[in-house]
């Protein structure tokens, strides 16, 4: 048998009636060419399913035309409507692709080093991409559109609107049954929305290539505030750009009260982030100290107030170093030491450093989970000016033999280095938190939580150079909370003066949070707290000796806080006033 005869027999076996019929019905090429795409367009410009629909619908339509001639007209009308809709959509997408997709692909091909295997999808609903393609109308076009909207469109839309209302009514009637089927539905991706998707048939792209691709996409497709995600696991590289989700425009006392009850003692609620998710800070896990840097009027004092009222609500103390009086809400509150003069700030910082040192010394001889006492929050307002005032005060007040450096500045640095175990935390506020403003670059590194608003590029690079800088928001109360190089856009909760003072009180009106005690002021102190607050004029050791010896009218213990006895402020003050000085 010759080669020609063998080829002819092979061709006959390949194109048998059964095989050709199968190819016709399944939408495969009649030539039998393997590897055709069924779901996507192939070299023949039609996908397999499209060829299958055409091959099956044409004979069916012809048979129906012979059997039921009266139905042909309605079918042809429906086909014309569907074809017109698809043609109009294709025409619109053709303009869209010609304006955005095709030029972007032409720029990406040399950047990625690939001639084929690049697919780009741009959602037309992103930003104002589609409205940008609209051209201004002439007076004649406006008149035609006006006539169409007033006369033709109401008639055309009457039947579709009635059908849609009937469908909605049917859905409402069937809701008791359809709602039970929700358990069988798979959860939808909450982040699924308008996006730009790029797929490249290459296993890896270098960092420089990815940066170049991002630059090209951002330049050719004018959509702002996009979040970029790269996926390089597997045989293909996929990049996705989605619209950045924004936090709510306002957060108030209701959200603070709702979130406060479920937090631990070292956790603090700040506000709501993207997707209306609560944002919290941990002074045990994230950082013992908080840095706040923002321009004038950005809400620095509001953020500090929010943290302070939560400390007070849990029975802690707040020391405010504020020269200009930004925290009037705290005036007269129990547990607050408000220092407005350089001398008061100097003494308060020195005492706090001594307290932290004493707590750390005691902790060496206690169990690992030993509680040193109530948390102390130090709010240092406008450090750019406060440090200078403390330096000038010490230059005037220091005597012969005193150190040249201000003890208050040294005490602040000590608090930054040893505040975690002592539960003494610093919230430093400055318009620009330079190293000089905080006492040196090594002291500034103790701030693991950094909050920025209305920032400049220089300020961002100085404080959080490891995090990508997002665009600064003009929304009042909108902050970037940066922890571990990750920036979280947050709408900080705003409290009025009345709401702040109410939240700073114990959770139950008139009731202290320790040992279930109650008093008109809800104010109970241990001996150490009384000495630190200045209620008792003696040192802590002298106070314990006076109590043991029964000097004066010794107050009666009213409860316990850990292992320490609690006394009312009034009785302690009366004891100090009626006791002769040592």
């Amino acid at each position: 048998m010759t080669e020609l005869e063998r080829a002819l027999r092979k061709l006959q076996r390949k194109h048998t009636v059964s095989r050709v019929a199968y190819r016709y019905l399944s939408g495969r090429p009649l030539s039998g060419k393997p590897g055709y795409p069924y779901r996507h367009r192939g070299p023949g410009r039609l996908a397999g399913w499209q060829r299958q629909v055409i091959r099956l619908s044409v004979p069916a339509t012809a048979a129906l035309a012979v059997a039921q001639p009266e139905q042909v007209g309605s079918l042809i009308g429906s086909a014309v409507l569907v074809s017109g809709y698809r043609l109009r959509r294709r025409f619109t997408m053709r303009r869209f692709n010609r304006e955005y997709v095709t030029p972007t692909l032409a720029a990406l091909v040399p950047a990625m080093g690939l001639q084929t295997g690049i697919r780009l999808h741009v959602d037309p609903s992103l930003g104002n991409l589609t409205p940008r393609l609209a051209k201004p109308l002439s007076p004649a076009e406006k008149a035609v559109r006006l006539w169409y909207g007033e006369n033709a469109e109401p008639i055309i839309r009457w039947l579709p609107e009635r059908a849609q209302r009937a469908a909605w009514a049917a859905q409402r009637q069937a809701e008791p049954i359809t709602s039970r089927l929700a358990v069988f539905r798979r959860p939808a991706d909450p982040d699924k929305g308008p996006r730009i998707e790029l797929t490249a048939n290459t296993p890896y792209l270098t960092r420089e290539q990815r940066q170049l691709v991002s630059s090209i996409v951002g330049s050719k497709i004018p959509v702002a505030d996009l979040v970029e995600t790269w996926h390089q696991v597997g045989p293909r590289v996929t990049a996705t750009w989605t619209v950045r989700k924004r936090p709510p425009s306002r957060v108030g006392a209701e959200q603070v009260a709702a979130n406060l009850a479920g937090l631990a003692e070292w956790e603090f609620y700040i506000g709501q982030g993207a997707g209306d998710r609560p944002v919290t800070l941990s002074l045990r896990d994230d950082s013992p100290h908080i840095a706040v840097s923002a321009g004038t009027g950005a809400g620095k004092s509001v953020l500090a107030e929010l943290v302070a009222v939560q400390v007070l609500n849990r029975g802690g103390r707040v020391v405010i170093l504020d020269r200009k009086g930004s925290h009037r809400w705290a005036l007269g509150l129990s547990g607050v030491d408000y220092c407005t003069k350089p001398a008061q700030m100097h003494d308060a910082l020195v005492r706090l450093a001594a307290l932290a040192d004493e707590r750390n010394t005691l902790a060496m001889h206690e169990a690992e989970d030993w509680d040193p006492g109530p948390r102390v929050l130090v709010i240092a307002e406008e450090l750019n000016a406060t440090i200078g005032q403390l330096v000038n005060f010490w230059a005037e007040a220091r005597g012969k033999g005193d150190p040249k450096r201000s003890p208050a500045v040294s005490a602040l640095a000590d608090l930054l280095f040893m505040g975690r175990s002592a539960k003494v935390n610093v919230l430093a506020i400055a318009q620009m938190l330079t190293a000089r403003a905080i006492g040196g670059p090594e002291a500034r590194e103790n701030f693991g939580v950094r909050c920025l608003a209305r920032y400049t590029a220089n300020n961002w690079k100085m404080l959080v150079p490891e995090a990508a800088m997002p665009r600064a928001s003009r929304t009042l109360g909108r902050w970037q909370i940066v922890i571990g190089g990750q920036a979280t856009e947050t709408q900080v909760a705003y409290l009025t003066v009345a709401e702040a003072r109410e939240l700073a009180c114990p959770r139950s009106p008139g009731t202290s949070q320790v040992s279930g005690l109650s008093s008109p002021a809800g104010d109970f102190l241990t001996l150490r707290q009384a000495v630190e607050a200045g209620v008792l004029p003696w040192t802590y050791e002298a106070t314990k000796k006076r109590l043991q010896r029964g000097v004066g009218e010794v107050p009666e213990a009213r409860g316990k806080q850990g292992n320490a006895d609690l006394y009312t402020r009034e009785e302690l003050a009366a004891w100090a006033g009626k006791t002769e000085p040592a």
Side-chain angles (χ1 to χ4, degrees):
M1 183 181 294
T2 63
E3 293 292 336
L4 180 60
E5 291 176 344
R6 281 196 294 269
L8 288 175
R9 287 194 176 187
K10 185 177 179 181
L11 185 62
Q12 289 173 356
R13 290 196 302 269
K14 182 178 181 181
H15 296 292
T16 59
V17 175
S18 59
R19 291 186 177 185
V20 172
Y22 168 72
R23 295 168 193 162
Y24 182 87
L25 295 176
S26 63
R28 293 177 177 270
L30 296 178
S31 62
K33 183 178 180 180
Y36 84 104
Y38 183 80
R39 297 180 58 187
H40 307 289
R41 292 178 179 270
R45 300 183 62 84
L46 286 178
W49 69 269
Q50 293 174 329
R51 283 195 298 267
Q52 187 181 30
V53 169
I54 294 173
R55 292 173 182 176
L56 297 179
S57 61
V58 170
T61 304
L64 183 63
V66 174
Q68 301 287 340
E70 64 277 4
Q71 302 294 332
V72 176
S74 59
L75 290 176
I76 293 176
S78 301
V80 169
L81 289 176
V82 172
S83 301
Y85 170 77
R86 291 180 63 86
L87 184 63
R88 181 177 180 274
R89 181 176 178 82
R90 177 170 293 186
F91 178 76
T92 303
M93 289 304 298
R94 183 180 179 183
R95 289 188 57 198
F96 184 87
N97 293 334
R98 185 174 64 245
E99 184 71 20
Y100 299 115
V101 179
T102 303
T104 307
L105 282 174
L108 289 174
V109 166
M112 302 178 71
L114 300 174
Q115 298 301 323
T116 59
I118 302 176
R119 286 191 300 163
L120 178 65
H121 167 73
V122 181
D123 199 309
S125 61
L126 273 173
N128 61 343
L129 293 180
T130 302
R132 287 168 64 96
L133 300 178
K135 298 179 181 179
L137 300 177
S138 66
E141 290 174 323
K142 291 181 180 179
V144 171
R145 287 177 177 261
L146 179 62
W147 179 89
Y148 176 84
E150 293 178 350
N151 300 278
E153 189 171 3
I155 300 174
I156 296 174
R157 293 185 60 86
W158 184 84
L159 183 59
E161 286 182 355
R162 294 300 183 274
Q164 185 64 59
R165 292 183 181 182
W168 287 339
Q171 290 176 1
R172 287 193 296 269
Q173 293 296 328
E175 188 174 2
I177 299 175
T178 56
S179 61
R180 298 181 181 180
L181 302 177
V183 294
F184 299 102
R185 300 191 187 100
R186 293 182 178 180
D189 186 0
D191 297 328
K192 199 73 174 177
R195 57 185 54 206
I196 302 172
E197 289 184 339
L198 174 68
T199 304
N201 287 337
T202 181
Y204 181 74
L205 290 178
T206 64
R207 182 179 180 182
E208 292 74 16
Q209 286 178 311
R210 296 198 301 269
Q211 291 176 348
L212 183 56
V213 168
S214 301
S215 177
I216 292 173
V217 171
S219 301
K220 303 297 289 184
I221 304 176
V223 181
D225 292 333
L226 292 178
V227 179
E228 177 183 340
T229 305
W230 285 87
H231 181 76
Q232 300 203 90
V233 177
R236 296 180 182 86
V237 174
T238 304
T240 306
W241 291 265
T242 55
V243 179
R244 185 186 303 276
K245 293 185 178 181
R246 295 296 187 185
S249 58
R250 188 183 184 281
V251 180
E254 298 81 9
Q255 289 92 332
V256 178
N259 288 276
L260 183 58
L263 297 179
E265 187 273 339
W266 57 85
E267 294 178 333
F268 296 88
Y269 172 77
I270 298 299
Q272 299 293 114
D276 205 17
R277 299 173 182 172
V279 178
T280 59
L281 304 180
S282 173
L283 295 183
R284 187 180 70 174
D285 302 329
D286 297 331
S287 169
H289 308 297
I290 303 172
V292 179
S293 179
T296 303
K300 300 186 293 293
S301 300
V302 172
L303 177 56
E305 169 193 328
L306 181 61
V307 178
V309 296
Q310 295 178 67
V311 172
L312 294 172
N313 182 271
R314 296 163 181 167
R317 290 182 52 210
V318 175
V319 179
I320 303 176
L321 314 179
D322 181 21
R323 182 73 168 144
K324 63 179 185 178
S326 302
H327 297 273
R328 293 182 177 87
W329 62 270
L331 292 175
L333 283 180
S334 175
V336 176
D337 295 332
Y338 206 136
C339 306
T340 59
K341 303 296 183 183
Q344 297 173 337
M345 300 178 190
H346 179 96
D347 296 339
L349 287 173
V350 173
R351 288 199 307 269
L352 288 170
L355 170 65
D357 182 64
E358 181 181 1
R359 287 183 172 184
N360 285 325
T361 302
L362 295 175
M364 295 178 61
H365 308 285
E366 301 288 346
E368 186 176 353
D369 58 347
W370 176 69
D371 186 4
R375 187 174 301 278
V376 180
L377 177 67
V378 184
I379 300 178
E381 276 278 358
E382 298 297 345
L383 269 180
N384 298 100
T386 300
I387 292 296
Q389 293 172 357
L390 291 174
V391 171
N392 294 336
F393 166 77
W394 182 246
E396 297 177 359
R398 79 181 184 96
K400 187 176 181 180
D402 291 335
K404 293 184 178 180
R405 189 185 186 191
S406 168
V409 177
S410 301
L412 179 59
D414 291 341
L415 291 177
L416 293 176
F417 283 104
M418 61 182 182
R420 181 189 293 270
S421 57
K423 289 179 66 174
V424 180
N425 309 107
V426 178
L427 194 153
I429 301 175
Q431 291 191 14
M432 197 164 187
L433 198 64
T434 60
R436 186 179 64 85
I438 200 61
E442 65 280 356
R444 192 174 61 187
E445 290 302 313
N446 289 283
F447 293 100
V449 178
R450 304 189 180 191
C451 311
L452 296 94
R454 293 187 182 178
Y455 43 82
T456 62
N458 290 336
N459 196 14
W460 185 277
K461 292 177 181 178
M462 179 185 66
L463 285 180
V464 284
E466 70 279 7
M469 186 185 80
R471 180 183 299 178
S473 175
R474 299 178 63 88
T475 303
L476 188 62
R478 187 67 53 83
W479 287 76
Q480 295 289 344
I481 310 298
V482 185
I483 303 175
Q486 182 67 36
T488 303
E489 188 176 22
T490 306
Q491 182 67 29
V492 172
Y494 174 77
L495 300 176
T496 63
V497 172
E499 291 170 345
R501 294 180 70 87
E502 180 180 359
L503 188 62
C505 295
R507 292 174 182 136
S508 298
T511 303
S512 174
Q513 299 180 44
V514 285
S515 302
L517 300 176
S518 61
S519 73
D523 189 6
F524 293 86
L525 303 172
T526 63
L527 291 181
R528 189 185 301 278
Q529 293 170 354
V531 172
E532 295 168 357
V535 177
L536 297 177
W538 318 295
T539 64
Y540 176 63
E541 296 298 332
T543 302
K544 288 198 300 182
K545 291 181 180 180
R546 287 172 179 267
L547 187 67
Q548 293 169 357
R549 296 172 182 175
V551 178
E553 297 182 3
V554 178
E556 181 182 355
R558 301 294 184 178
K560 288 282 189 180
Q561 187 179 62
N563 296 326
D565 292 329
L566 287 169
Y567 305 89
T568 64
R569 181 184 291 265
E570 291 79 8
E571 291 180 352
L572 290 172
W575 180 36
K578 294 183 180 181
T579 304
E580 294 295 328

